[in-house]
Amino acid sequence: MTLTAVLILLAASVAAVLVCRTIQMPAILGYLLVGVALGPNGFALISDSEDARHLAEFGIVFLMFTLGLEFSLPQLKAMRRAVLGLGAAQVGVCAVIGLVILVALGYSWGAGLVIGGMFAMSSTAIVLKMLIERDEVSSEYGRNAIAILLFQDLAVIGFLVLIPALGQSGWGLALALVLAVIKAAVAFVLILKLGQKPMRIWLNTIARQRSPELFMLNVLLIVLALATLTSLVGLSMALGAFMAGMLIAETEHRHIVEDNILSFRDLLLGLFFVTMGMAINPGLVVRNIEVVLLFLLVSFFVKGLVVVGLARFFGGTWSSNVRIGIYLAQTGELALVMLTLANDYSILPPYLKQTILMAISLSMLTAPVIIRISEPFIRWFERFDWQESAARIMKVATQSMVYQDHVIICGYGRSGQNLARLLEAEKIGFVALDSDPLRVRESAEGVAVIYGDASNRDILAAAGLNKARALVITFANTPQALKIINVVHATRPTLPIIVRTYDDSNLDRLLEAGATEVVPEIIEGSLMLASHSLLALGIPLPRVLARIRSVREERYSLLRGFFHGVSDAQEDAEENLQPRLRSVVLMDGAAAIGKTLGELDLEELVKVSRVRRVGKAPKVPDENWRFEVGDTVVLLGRADDLSFAVQRLQEGELKV
């Protein structure tokens, strides 16, 4: 490839990717269009050279390497029911349907199996982008879609083992399949089991040289060496690259490798998609457009219906299952990897390769548009959910009926479970809501963990919102937390709401929405890190505790005054001496309306932590703050003092 051809390719790629990013389409489509336009079947500005194709193959290698880096056995174990159940069923059924259709059309079963496998694959890049863009990653259908994608990533490894063997025929095919499986199993055992300790030692040795160039050269050497090794024993280079990724993922250098290899991978992967575009013959596609459209329609409708049916079998509402089907109906980049490998081993006829390639490209091109315009169609299915919803609400109400003055925990993950243990220790009742059916089913016997969407007004009401003492949102999902806060404030604006978030970037939004307190976990983590560091440096424990306490008091308004007068070594035993939180709404006729905080002399009894005014961010009032109708006053103090303070605010008894 000449310098002029490289410059043309780079300029066209930059322009195409820029346009795709502007209209919010995947960059993959830009690369494919560049290949079609500049290749031998377009304007013929770049020849489809053998050198370019060999270089582009490295894009597949590094794609599979990063797939191995991101592959997580703990994640697979945590989502095993959805991954190994729903995910395996989706890939298996779609592959069998593709196989049956191709065999019925007169193609070999090997070609049918490969095309069925490609038909089963969805675009991880498109689905994740759309889920993140629409804040749906943590939803029930979002988690199920990700679980299916995770199994697809796992299933493609099996196809990478099988495809090279499918180039044989007769008894040679059966022998090749058996040998391929044995060789792959041996390679996995040798590399992943026996290679972990030597790999960790070697990477630590390289890392101690403190040379980024040397470290990256070493990573490239490992990836290409293992890819070459698997190629020499008759397996694909992509399989070796995947194992290299899994091997490095078990070391402490995983994230450094991931960050450094990303741009290098994307560049080569872009070249791979350009060469795939060069292979598209627009004239041939136009002459067989009805076949291309048939493949496209089968991919969307048949695959979509299969996903919806299987998701329904594994549980979930109709509207949720239809969303999963629409998200996963398209075919993705892993199908292109399989198509390239099948072409290398002459498993598919050339015209069939062209048809499949164009169908995959059109599928990826139209998928984001279909996902965006599908909302009215999905809402039509929501009317079928009312019976299930009513039954679920009745079940929630039945389970929460015995609770009074309890805490509603939204989300029963690690944070929710830790909070529940502390509440149990203090003999405070709680009702936990979680939308993960597996987590609900595996929760401890006798614990009130209920399956339900915490942002649903009816579910919250059934969980005893009107009788609750507080509500805690334990998952770090700001959009979902805002929905819950809005629902709670519309029903019970005085209820204290404590929200967990990852950092303080959305702190103001949550406070303005009406959260009583927001706890950023990154700040708490940094405080724990600081305390251990100070202790390791020889700072006395009382001084460390005082430092951490002062930061917390400054950061969390509800803790201001909480530690005053309490010894570091001893806590008050009497419950009445412990500060409590109480919210008071000033209704029309309250004595405090029109008066200032200084005139009420509340500070001699309790701490006024915050005042929430409708439509405005919560404020920490000074003595000149003048109260208005509708103000929610958050008080902190002992039980008896709180009663006096509420009486002053409501009835105007300004003398104790």
Side-chain angles (χ1 to χ4, degrees):
M1 188 180 291
T2 65
L3 179 59
T4 303
V6 171
L7 288 174
I8 294 172
L9 178 61
L10 288 174
S13 298
V14 168
V17 173
L18 178 61
V19 171
C20 286
R21 294 296 187 192
T22 303
I23 61 176
Q24 297 185 334
M25 289 289 185
I28 296 170
L29 302 175
Y31 290 123
L32 287 171
L33 292 175
V34 167
V36 174
L38 303 183
N41 298 310
F43 296 105
L45 297 177
I46 299 177
S47 61
D48 187 15
S49 66
E50 193 70 21
D51 292 337
R53 283 199 298 273
H54 283 314
L55 186 60
E57 286 177 5
F58 288 115
I60 301 177
V61 167
F62 284 101
L63 170 65
M64 298 308 298
F65 172 66
T66 52
L67 201 62
L69 273 178
E70 295 166 358
F71 190 80
S72 170
L73 288 176
Q75 183 185 21
L76 180 63
K77 184 178 179 181
M79 302 174 68
R80 59 187 178 278
R81 181 176 182 271
V83 175
L84 301 179
L86 181 56
Q90 182 269 325
V91 171
V93 172
C94 288
V96 169
I97 290 175
L99 171 63
V100 170
I101 291 175
L102 266 293
V103 171
L105 292 174
Y107 294 98
S108 68
W109 72 269
L113 181 61
V114 172
I115 293 177
M118 288 189 286
F119 168 59
M121 301 297 153
S122 304
S123 174
T124 303
I126 293 175
V127 175
L128 283 181
K129 180 180 181 298
M130 298 300 293
L131 286 173
I132 293 170
E133 181 183 292
R134 296 155 69 95
D135 294 318
E136 296 173 341
V137 174
S138 61
S139 63
E140 180 187 357
Y141 53 86
R143 289 196 303 270
N144 283 333
I146 291 172
I148 294 174
L149 290 171
L150 187 60
F151 188 85
Q152 289 177 4
D153 293 343
L154 188 63
V156 78
I157 304 306
F159 283 106
L160 292 180
V161 173
L162 293 175
I163 288 174
L166 292 175
Q168 307 290 328
S169 59
W171 286 104
L173 171 59
L175 181 61
L177 284 173
V178 172
L179 287 177
V181 173
I182 293 174
K183 285 187 286 188
V186 170
F188 268 98
V189 171
L190 290 177
I191 293 174
L192 298 181
K193 291 295 183 183
L194 304 181
Q196 284 186 8
K197 187 175 181 180
M199 178 61 69
R200 181 172 281 106
I201 294 173
W202 176 247
L203 286 177
N204 288 336
T205 302
I206 296 297
R208 279 195 293 269
Q209 307 307 312
R210 300 184 181 278
S211 170
E213 296 86 358
L214 178 61
F215 190 83
M216 280 307 302
L217 283 172
N218 178 64
V219 170
L220 294 176
L221 173 64
I222 293 170
V223 175
L224 296 179
L226 287 179
T228 303
L229 180 63
T230 53
S231 177
L232 290 175
V233 298
L235 301 172
S236 68
M237 293 179 66
L239 181 63
F242 178 82
M243 287 190 283
M246 290 190 69
L247 192 58
I248 294 178
E250 296 300 318
T251 71
E252 57 270 31
H253 304 286
R254 167 185 176 176
H255 298 293
I256 299 175
V257 173
E258 197 171 17
D259 290 340
N260 284 287
I261 208 74
L262 187 62
S263 57
F264 189 71
R265 179 208 69 178
D266 289 345
L267 181 63
L268 290 175
L269 199 56
L271 184 56
F272 162 68
F273 289 121
V274 169
T275 56
M276 291 298 293
M278 289 180 180
I280 296 175
N281 187 334
L284 184 61
V285 171
V286 169
R287 288 193 296 272
N288 296 278
I289 190 64
E290 66 281 356
V291 181
V292 173
L293 292 178
L294 177 62
F295 270 93
L296 183 63
L297 291 174
V298 167
S299 172
F300 267 114
F301 287 103
V302 177
K303 182 179 178 183
L305 289 173
V306 167
V307 173
V308 171
L310 290 173
R312 180 65 182 172
F313 178 78
F314 280 85
T317 62
W318 276 110
S319 58
S320 175
N321 297 333
V322 171
R323 286 182 192 274
I324 300 172
I326 291 173
Y327 268 115
L328 299 178
Q330 89 292 130
T331 313
E333 55 274 5
L334 291 179
L336 293 176
V337 173
M338 293 172 60
L339 181 63
T340 303
L341 193 61
N343 185 64
D344 291 342
Y345 287 90
S346 303
I347 296 173
L348 303 179
Y351 63 90
L352 184 59
K353 177 200 169 186
Q354 287 285 327
T355 304
I356 297 297
L357 179 57
M358 196 61 201
I360 293 173
S361 304
L362 288 174
S363 173
M364 295 173 68
L365 179 65
T366 54
V369 178
I370 291 175
I371 292 172
R372 287 195 181 97
I373 65 174
S374 63
E375 198 61 32
F377 177 70
I378 293 171
R379 293 196 183 280
W380 185 81
F381 276 90
E382 288 180 348
R383 64 181 186 170
F384 297 107
D385 297 339
W386 71 269
Q387 287 182 326
E388 296 175 23
S389 179
R392 189 177 300 123
I393 290 169
M394 181 62 71
K395 184 177 180 181
V396 173
T398 302
Q399 291 180 270
S400 63
M401 191 177 297
V402 297
Y403 290 96
Q404 181 80 29
D405 204 28
H406 58 290
V407 176
I408 298 177
I409 302 175
C410 301
Y412 200 63
R414 289 183 181 179
S415 299
Q417 291 170 37
N418 289 331
L419 173 61
R421 293 188 192 102
L422 293 174
L423 292 174
E424 284 182 329
E426 294 294 328
K427 295 182 172 53
I428 297 174
F430 68 89
V431 173
L433 299 173
D434 200 290
S435 57
D436 186 338
L438 179 62
R439 186 178 291 151
V440 172
R441 187 168 55 253
E442 293 185 350
S443 60
E445 190 70 29
V447 178
V449 184
I450 302 168
Y451 177 73
D453 180 4
S455 64
N456 185 301
R457 186 187 307 273
D458 295 327
I459 291 288
L460 283 174
L465 182 62
N466 290 323
K467 304 181 295 180
R469 186 172 173 181
L471 182 140
V472 184
I473 301 173
T474 66
F475 46 80
N477 184 323
T478 300
Q480 190 75 357
L482 289 170
K483 292 179 184 177
I484 296 172
I485 293 170
N486 290 333
V487 171
V488 173
H489 267 267
T491 306
R492 208 180 148 194
T494 62
L495 185 70
I497 304 173
I498 295 86
V499 183
R500 170 192 163 215
T501 185
Y502 177 69
D503 55 29
D504 56 359
S505 59
N506 292 300
L507 188 144
D508 290 336
R509 288 179 63 198
L510 291 165
L511 290 176
E512 287 171 8
T516 308
E517 193 57 83
V518 180
V519 181
E521 63 182 45
I522 199 167
I523 292 179
E524 284 300 316
S526 66
L527 288 177
M528 291 303 297
L529 180 64
S531 63
H532 285 286
S533 301
L534 291 173
L535 288 172
L537 293 171
I539 306 300
L541 178 60
R543 196 191 305 176
V544 173
L545 292 176
R547 292 285 186 195
I548 300 302
R549 183 176 62 202
S550 65
V551 172
R552 282 202 175 105
E553 289 179 0
E554 181 180 353
R555 168 62 190 81
Y556 302 117
S557 62
L558 293 184
L559 294 182
R560 290 175 186 160
F562 188 90
F563 294 102
H564 296 317
V566 180
S567 169
D568 291 331
Q570 179 180 350
E571 294 183 355
D572 293 311
E574 298 182 23
E575 183 181 350
N576 191 49
L577 295 178
Q578 297 298 321
R580 296 183 180 183
L581 179 66
R582 187 163 178 180
S583 297
V584 182
V585 179
L586 300 182
M587 307 303 291
D588 191 18
I593 294 173
K595 293 185 173 65
T596 65
L597 179 59
E599 291 172 342
L600 292 172
D601 288 334
L602 290 175
E603 294 292 314
E604 67 184 52
L605 293 173
V606 296
K607 177 73 175 177
V608 181
S609 296
R610 183 169 294 169
V611 178
R612 294 199 301 266
R613 183 161 290 170
V614 178
K616 295 184 179 180
K619 298 284 186 184
V620 178
D622 57 21
E623 62 179 10
N624 296 318
W625 176 275
R626 194 170 298 276
F627 293 100
E628 297 179 1
V629 176
D631 282 354
T632 301
V633 186
V634 183
L635 305 174
L636 184 70
R638 297 182 304 176
D640 293 341
D641 292 337
L642 284 171
S643 298
F644 280 116
V646 171
Q647 193 174 14
R648 287 192 180 189
L649 287 168
Q650 301 284 25
E651 301 176 15
E653 296 184 11
L654 303 180
K655 300 296 182 183
V656 181

